[in-house]
Amino acid sequence: MTRKAAIIGGGVIGGGWAARFLLNGWDVGVFDPDPEAERKIAAVMANARLALPALSDVPMPVEGTLTFHGTIGEAVEGAEYVQESVSERIELKHKVYAQLQQAHPGVLIGSSTSGFKASDLQKGSPAPENIIVAHPFNPVYLLPLSEVSGSDKNPPAVVEKTVQIMKDIGMFPLVIRHEIDAFIGNRFLEAVWREALWMLKDGIATTEEIDDAIRMGFGLRWGQMGLFETYRIAGGEAGMRHFMAQFGPALKWPWTKLMDVPEFNEELVDLVANQSDAQSGMYTIRELERIRDQNLVGFLRALKERNWGAGKVLREHDERRAAAFHAGLDTTPKAAPLVMAQMQVLPGWIDYNGHMTESRYYFANSETVDAFLRLIGAGMDYVAAGHSYYSAETHIRHLGEAKLGDRLTGTVQIISADEKRFRSFVRIMKGEVCVATVEQLCLHVDMKAGKTVPASAEVWAKLRAVAEAHATLPMPDGAGRAVGQGRA
Ligand SMILES: NC(=O)C1=CN([C@@H]2O[C@H](COP(=O)(O)OP(=O)(O)OC[C@H]3O[C@@H](n4cnc5c(N)ncnc54)[C@H](O)[C@@H]3O)[C@@H](O)[C@H]2O)C=CC1
Ligand SMILES: C[N+](C)(C)CC(=O)CC(=O)[O-]
């Protein structure tokens, strides 16, 4: 059964949560009195659909259903989780919790608050144990961090349930062990923000110069190693201790004005807003969101490739979903092609002709054959032990078109096999339609010796079982074909 979340407050952050839940297959009920909320969430969804699926090589679940409601009670009906994302005013949040807990006693409420402690949020509630902080970062549909912060009123089971829900939608729940205002992320960001406002107010740097100082330098480091790991490296071979010895005294030098904050007044707001308009006013906010999202997608994918930082979270989420797909497959050898892979055509796979680009058909074949190799025991452990299959020859036929968002399945038929090689025939299917076939000869190789050798007895036994089952299948139409046209 599809799970349901209620999103109360559908602004910047509520819209981002709605997108994350929906794209991860949850149904979402929204309540927001703003008559523009539906239009705004549709705009966020349009950007999110371009960005979030592009992070993953595993197809997203079928998108959940989004509904808008006239009351909090209707929005929360049937929901197992509420993400409260109303404006940052404590009395408003209290009012919303009272309505939620009256309509749906016992429902778990996570708050997006940027700084109120769970114990502040819980004040006056008849069931404080069900209110907890789940603080996200913008854009919620791309950035994995959710700071989960409870008070002594939250039993471990509530914290754990929040953690599990965050994981289910691909987030990285960081449980904050001590209740503090603004948690970890915003405490840190607020310090940076104050410092930046001082530099601006004192005329030392413009908004653009400050942004350049971040994005051309240390901002790139933070995104993949954080602060401490970065400084550890900055200490050279002697590491953190040397770093501290060298830069520790700077704590007392006039490097920072944080002891004091600039006065928050109209003059400061004008200074910041005017410079920001001059810097970025040529883009609409939605354009800036798309630029930001595509940059983040590239950055996060690079981290995923390296299995590092936030990329590790993405990879684990992909692996969980891929494992669920494979667990549902029937891989017993029989006289039928084996369904081995599932893919979804992503934005970056589309070429100037508006359909899936050539190299992605090869990729789809690799995904399918790699899954088959894992099935016969020639996965990564086998490769690490020094043996692998190398492809020696490949023939792709393009029979149909795959478009953005299409869901594809890769099936494998083994045409022939012996101890040293196999010939596979992969069909890339869009539903019942075959959009491409890929015929390939793979050789079993001793990687160190760099030559073809027989596969291990276990691998060969599994490969032979499939090859024997497939021997009864008719030769696929198109197998063994050379490229069509004769010479002029
Ligand atoms: N904007 C940001 O960068 C971040 C904000 N947050 C937090 O998320 C929460 C929401 O902030 P934003 O989305 O930025 O604000 P926003 O102003 O974009 O959205 C707030 C929404 O709450 C709605 N609202 C007001 N009263 C309501 C009620 N009684 N019931 C339902 N909806 C109601 C408003 O109509 C509005 O659409 C705040 O607690 C904020 O601190 C958390 C992380 C980042
Ligand atoms: C500015 N802010 C305090 C609302 C920011 C956050 O809460 C987190 C973020 O996205 O930077």
Side-chain angles (χ1 to χ4, degrees):
M1 206 181 74
T2 310
R3 303 171 81 182
K4 180 183 169 186
I7 306 291
I8 309 302
V12 174
I13 294 303
W17 278 110
R20 190 176 264 279
F21 274 104
L22 287 163
L23 293 173
N24 277 284
W26 286 54
D27 288 342
V28 166
V30 174
F31 171 71
D32 190 316
D34 177 1
E36 289 284 290
E38 202 164 334
R39 181 192 60 74
K40 287 183 190 165
I41 290 189
V44 174
M45 279 305 295
N47 280 353
R49 282 192 195 104
L50 287 177
L52 182 65
L55 284 180
S56 179
D57 298 317
V58 181
M60 302 299 293
V62 175
E63 193 176 308
T65 304
L66 173 64
T67 48
F68 290 87
H69 303 273
T71 64
I72 283 187
E74 287 165 20
V76 76
E77 202 180 312
E80 69 176 273
Y81 179 73
V82 177
Q83 185 71 37
E84 170 275 301
S85 303
V86 302
S87 321
E88 189 76 342
R89 295 197 329 262
I90 193 79
E91 74 289 352
L92 175 63
K93 292 188 188 277
H94 285 157
K95 193 174 117 198
V96 165
Y97 303 151
Q99 291 175 39
L100 279 166
Q101 294 193 317
Q102 194 180 22
H104 193 338
V107 72
L108 175 57
I109 304 170
S111 173
S112 300
T113 179
S114 294
F116 296 126
K117 298 195 288 286
S119 49
D120 299 327
L121 300 173
Q122 293 164 349
K123 277 189 189 130
S125 165
E129 67 277 10
N130 293 329
I131 301 171
I132 193 165
V133 172
H135 174 241
F137 287 74
N138 194 30
V140 184
Y141 52 82
L142 283 183
L143 299 188
L145 183 60
S146 168
E147 292 176 306
V148 174
S149 179
S151 75
D152 54 8
K153 298 235 164 48
N154 298 111
V158 164
V159 178
E160 186 49 31
K161 186 170 175 197
T162 314
V163 162
Q164 285 311 322
I165 289 174
M166 295 298 122
K167 284 189 176 166
D168 188 74
I169 55 171
M171 296 194 91
F172 178 80
L174 180 66
V175 177
I176 311 290
R177 287 178 294 113
H178 296 278
E179 261 209 289
I180 55 162
D181 292 294
F183 329 114
I184 296 177
N186 276 345
R187 182 158 175 174
F188 186 61
L189 287 178
E190 192 64 14
V192 173
W193 175 236
R194 285 180 184 172
E195 218 39 81
L197 290 184
W198 266 127
M199 282 193 274
L200 215 64
K201 187 172 159 58
D202 291 349
I204 290 162
T206 63
T207 54
E208 185 157 8
E209 285 162 349
I210 294 172
D211 283 350
D212 282 345
I214 297 170
R215 63 184 159 206
M216 299 297 164
F218 61 88
L220 289 168
R221 295 190 313 217
W222 279 354
Q224 45 85 50
M225 281 205 169
L227 185 64
F228 289 99
E229 212 160 39
T230 298
Y231 279 172
R232 184 182 177 80
I233 298 174
E237 287 179 9
M240 193 51 123
R241 283 186 192 284
H242 176 62
F243 177 83
M244 297 281 293
Q246 189 172 194
F247 298 106
L251 286 174
K252 293 223 163 128
W253 298 344
W255 279 18
T256 173
K257 290 190 76 165
L258 268 183
M259 294 75 182
D260 177 8
V261 294
E263 195 187 331
F264 185 75
N265 55 23
E266 283 295 313
E267 198 189 337
L268 183 67
V269 172
D270 286 346
L271 183 71
V272 176
N274 292 341
Q275 286 196 20
S276 175
D277 287 349
Q279 182 189 347
S280 318
M282 67 295 271
Y283 300 110
T284 66
I285 296 296
R286 296 294 172 213
E287 279 167 344
L288 279 174
E289 278 178 357
R290 280 192 288 278
I291 293 166
R292 174 203 65 189
D293 287 358
Q294 293 313 316
N295 290 339
L296 282 172
V297 166
F299 190 48
L300 285 164
R301 284 198 76 100
L303 291 177
K304 188 162 80 167
E305 197 84 6
R306 310 265 322 117
N307 198 20
W308 189 260
K312 217 170 169 171
V313 179
L314 297 179
R315 195 184 268 219
E316 282 164 10
H317 193 49
D318 276 6
E319 283 169 0
R320 269 196 301 274
R321 286 187 293 121
F325 167 71
H326 286 287
L329 292 179
D330 176 7
T331 52
T332 39
K334 58 175 167 314
L338 287 165
V339 177
M340 291 306 327
Q342 241 187 10
M343 293 144 281
Q344 191 168 15
V345 182
L346 301 175
W349 297 19
I350 300 297
D351 66 12
Y352 48 78
N353 293 322
H355 55 201
M356 185 159 109
T357 196
E358 284 169 315
S359 59
R360 286 290 163 185
Y361 286 93
Y362 195 88
F363 172 79
N365 175 66
S366 301
E367 289 287 288
T368 309
V369 173
D370 281 354
F372 176 71
L373 291 175
R374 287 193 291 276
L375 178 75
I376 61 170
M380 282 303 119
D381 291 348
Y382 193 72
V383 173
H387 290 92
S388 187
Y389 279 94
Y390 289 180
S391 40
E393 194 175 337
T394 307
H395 180 205
I396 305 181
R397 293 185 315 144
H398 300 274
L399 306 176
E401 277 186 290
K403 300 263 178 152
L404 182 64
D406 281 348
R407 286 170 189 271
L408 306 176
T409 305
T411 69
V412 176
Q413 179 176 343
I414 298 300
I415 295 178
S416 62
D418 63 24
E419 285 96 329
K420 288 188 175 177
R421 82 209 88 199
F422 67 82
R423 188 172 149 202
S424 54
F425 191 82
V426 164
R427 293 176 179 85
I428 307 299
M429 306 293 295
K430 185 169 92 176
E432 295 301 307
V433 178
C434 181
V435 290
T437 66
V438 188
E439 188 180 352
Q440 193 164 52
L441 180 68
C442 288
L443 303 178
H444 185 270
V445 172
D446 177 330
M447 294 163 82
K448 200 157 170 215
K451 60 176 192 170
T452 309
V453 294
S456 74
E458 296 77 21
V459 167
W460 168 232
K462 289 184 181 157
L463 173 58
R464 191 177 54 197
V466 179
E468 283 172 2
H470 287 186
T472 57
L473 291 172
M475 190 70 163
D477 181 32
R481 277 262 302 274
V483 174
Q485 195 179 15
R487 279 182 85 177

